């Protein structure tokens, strides 16, 4: 007797939810189409597995609750994936990035080699504006970026449908450009899209040039003919009123034609200043995803991947050391690795833990990489020399106490930004000259006793590990 039809309840619950959610949220996530009903269940289609997982997690309970209130029956919602074809593109079936690796953001999935895609990129002409190595294969997915990365993969597979526009934001060196270009590279290879990548700065310059040369029509045509427009670093547009205006119109033309638009920004749109309200609302429409700094484990995975790509040998303990000490962003991680590789090539010696420590000492010590407090330094040094923390800070001047105290002062000078005056205060209200004197003593001893250097490095490592 299967004569169930819940479509009317479905439609009504959508109306209710539409009234309850923000316009943006509704437009973003309720891209679902009613398919069919069964006994106490109804099936709706969604554009991708990623989308399904997000909607299930965010709204399934709420939708089912609304359905219950309307129908008095416990109707379950099931999701079916149905790729809605982009009007202009032929569907190209791809076996390269398996849906499984899109659904489940694990680190190992990102390490999977997808030879086919790499090969195809090689076979195809260079895009010209996209870096070849900015691919999903080369992008390590961790907890800091999995939402953004999976949304990016979904976009590359179905441009112009579910997540349009998309804005990727986050601090410097966290992979915004890489991820944006990875979308471009994949869509370029698999979909044959006309892709334009440009920084907001160059977009501005080109526009200014076009006005000067009376070629604005050509400029407009170029951008409005793209299937996918990638504009990097839109924070640059602040105060550029005429360019904002132009981008607004470009946006509308592309958006209305279901063309994919992607932006990156170094902060959330809400924090941009001097931006026209209507352009701001366009940036905020669609999907906004952020990139966070990577965790220690992800940093190790990224370094391992880069080492592999460069075909050099760097021992695991060195990778761990760098990952431990460089926490600011991926660009800084890469820079440290490059420095080690350059050193190894110049000296024709393998990279060891010791050389890595020496070479990267300044980088590790930079205040950007750690929020070490004086208290941590004092505690670690005191413990190392079997002293009490109070004694280390206190007034005693016996050799057993003053030498560790000088070491603590020296390390504090090396790895923090505190002045000698501030350090004096922290060391029992001493004068800044006492701190300078203490540091000098250690410097003199370092010249005579190489083993002291090892001790200090060991202590610095303990200090940096103290909080993790
Ligand atoms: P942003 O545009 O956010 O400033 P980039 O995209 O230029 O950052 O990334 C800086 C560097 O770090 C690039 O070389 C990029 O390849 C690398 N990178 C960033 N995130 C990752 C990641 N998750 N996996 C691998 N490399 C990454
Ligand atoms: Mg960038």
């Amino acid at each position: 007797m299967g004569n169930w039809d819940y479509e009317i309840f479905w439609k009504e619950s959508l109306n209710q939810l539409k009234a309850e959610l923000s316009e943006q949220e509704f437009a973003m996530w309720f891209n679902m189409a009613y398919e069919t009903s069964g006994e106490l269940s109804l099936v709706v289609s969604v554009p991708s597995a990623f989308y399904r997982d997000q909607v299930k997690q965010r709204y399934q309970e709420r939708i089912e609750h609304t359905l219950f209130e309307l129908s008095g029956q416990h109707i379950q919602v099931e999701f079916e994936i149905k790729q809605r074809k982009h009007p202009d593109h032929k569907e190209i079936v791809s076996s390269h990035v398996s849906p499984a690796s899109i659904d489940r953001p694990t680190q190992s999935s990102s390490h999977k080699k997808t030879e086919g895609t790499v090969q195809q990129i090689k076979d195809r002409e260079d895009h010209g504006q996209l870096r070849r190595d900015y691919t999903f294969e080369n992008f390590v997915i961790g907890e800091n970026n999995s939402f953004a990365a999976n949304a990016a993969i979904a976009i590359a597979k179905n441009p112009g449908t579910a997540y349009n526009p998309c804005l990727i934001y986050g601090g410097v060196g966290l992979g915004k450009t890489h991820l944006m270009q990875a979308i471009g590279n994949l869509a370029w290879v698999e979909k044959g899209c006309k892709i334009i990548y440009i920084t907001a700065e160059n977009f501005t310059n080109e526009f200014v040039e076009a006005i000067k040369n009376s070629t604005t029509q050509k400029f407009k045509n170029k951008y409005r003919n793209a299937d996918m427009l990638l504009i990097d670093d839109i924070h640059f547009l602040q105060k550029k009123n005429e360019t904002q205006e132009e981008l607004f119109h470009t946006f509308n033309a592309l958006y209305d034609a279901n063309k994919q638009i992607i932006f990156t920004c170094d902060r959330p749109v809400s924090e941009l200043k001097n931006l026209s309200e209507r352009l701001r609302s366009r940036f905020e429409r669609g999907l906004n995803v952020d990139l966070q700094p990577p965790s220690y484990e992800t940093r190790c995975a990224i370094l391992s991947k880069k080492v592999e790509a460069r075909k050099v040998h760097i021992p695991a303990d060195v990778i761990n050391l760098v990952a431990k000490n460089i926490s600011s962003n991926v660009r800084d991680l890469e820079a440290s690795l490059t420095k080690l590789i350059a050193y190894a090539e110049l000296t024709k010696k393998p990279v060891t833990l010791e050389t890595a420590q020496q070479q990267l000492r300044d980088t590790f010590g930079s205040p950007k990489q750690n929020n070490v407090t004086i208290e941590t330094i004092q505690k670690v040094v005191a413990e190392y020399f079997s002293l009490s923390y109070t004694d280390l800070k206190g007034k005693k001047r016996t050799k057993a106490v003053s030498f560790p105290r000088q070491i603590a002062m020296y390390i504090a000078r090396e790895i923090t930004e505190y002045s000698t005056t501030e350090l004096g205060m922290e060391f029992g209200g001493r004068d800044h000259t006492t701190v300078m004197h203490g540091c000098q003593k250690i410097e003199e001893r370092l010249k005579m006793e190489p083993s002291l250097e090892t001790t200090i490095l060991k202590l610095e490592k303990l200090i940096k590990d103290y909080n993790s």
Side-chain angles (χ1 to χ4, degrees), residues 40-308:
L40 289 184
S41 76
L42 68 83
V43 180
V44 295
S45 60
V46 290
S48 69
F50 171 72
Y51 202 97
R52 175 199 58 205
D53 295 345
Q54 292 297 321
V55 168
K56 271 182 137 172
Q57 192 192 330
R58 290 166 190 250
Y59 302 109
Q60 185 165 22
E61 220 173 285
R62 191 154 173 186
I63 296 172
E64 288 178 353
H65 181 72
T66 312
L67 282 168
F68 174 70
E69 290 194 325
L70 288 168
S71 68
Q73 289 176 287
H74 291 284
I75 303 167
Q76 277 192 358
V77 179
E78 282 159 27
F79 298 92
E80 174 186 295
I81 297 157
K82 214 180 218 182
Q83 299 203 344
R84 280 159 235 171
K85 290 189 188 112
H86 193 285
D88 291 351
H89 302 305
K90 277 183 243 112
E91 181 89 54
I92 300 171
V93 180
S94 145
S95 54
H96 304 304
V97 180
S98 68
S101 70
I102 300 175
D103 290 355
R104 265 159 248 313
T106 59
Q107 263 171 261
S108 63
S109 73
S110 65
H111 298 301
K112 253 181 241 154
K113 278 266 165 340
T114 43
E115 311 286 351
T117 312
V118 174
Q119 193 53 45
Q120 280 193 8
I121 291 180
K122 280 186 192 135
D123 290 349
R124 207 171 159 179
E125 230 177 281
D126 246 349
H127 178 272
Q129 296 159 327
L130 301 172
R131 270 184 61 159
R132 273 178 182 230
D133 56 336
Y134 281 1
T135 60
F136 287 114
E137 287 75 30
N138 292 339
F139 193 82
V140 174
I141 300 180
E143 70 308 314
N144 58 311
N145 61 20
S146 71
F147 184 82
N150 283 283
I153 294 171
I155 290 170
K157 304 237 123 197
N158 283 295
T161 52
Y163 312 104
N164 202 21
C166 171
L167 177 103
I168 303 167
Y169 67 92
V172 61
L174 293 179
K176 300 182 296 293
T177 300
H178 186 140
L179 204 52
M180 173 184 246
Q181 295 206 5
I183 300 173
N185 271 316
L186 190 62
W188 164 249
V189 170
E190 294 198 348
K191 304 269 171 197
C193 290
K194 241 182 284 156
I195 296 167
I196 299 184
Y197 166 86
I198 191 154
T199 60
E201 182 173 5
N202 284 339
F203 183 84
T204 307
N205 295 340
E206 251 185 50
F207 182 58
V208 171
E209 257 326 274
I211 296 176
K212 214 165 72 189
N213 303 329
S214 313
T215 52
T216 47
Q217 198 51 48
K218 200 169 145 218
F219 177 90
K220 285 180 209 291
N221 291 345
K222 171 180 166 188
Y223 286 96
R224 291 171 200 189
N225 273 325
D227 292 323
M228 188 184 270
L229 177 60
L230 312 174
I231 301 196
D232 208 354
D233 295 328
I234 55 159
H235 44 271
F236 183 84
L237 295 173
Q238 292 172 111
K239 289 194 188 151
K240 311 282 186 308
N241 296 340
E242 280 173 57
T243 310
Q244 286 180 26
E245 175 80 13
E246 179 57 30
L247 181 58
F248 174 76
H249 293 298
T250 304
F251 180 100
N252 291 342
L254 290 173
Y255 185 80
D256 290 343
N258 288 328
K259 308 293 190 185
Q260 181 70 47
I261 311 156
I262 306 173
F263 303 108
T264 70
C265 189
D266 68 354
R267 66 203 86 167
V269 174
S270 58
E271 288 171 22
L272 288 174
K273 294 194 184 79
N274 301 306
L275 191 67
S276 78
E277 271 319 304
R278 56 189 196 165
L279 190 57
R280 183 191 304 278
S281 82
R282 294 305 184 279
F283 289 150
E284 282 177 337
R285 194 185 279 180
L287 184 64
N288 286 206
V289 292
D290 71 326
L291 294 172
Q292 294 288 331
S295 67
Y296 169 70
E297 286 76 14
T298 305
R299 299 201 294 275
C300 289
I302 291 172
L303 285 169
S304 304
K305 198 163 191 104
K306 305 268 174 201
V307 166
E308 207 181 291

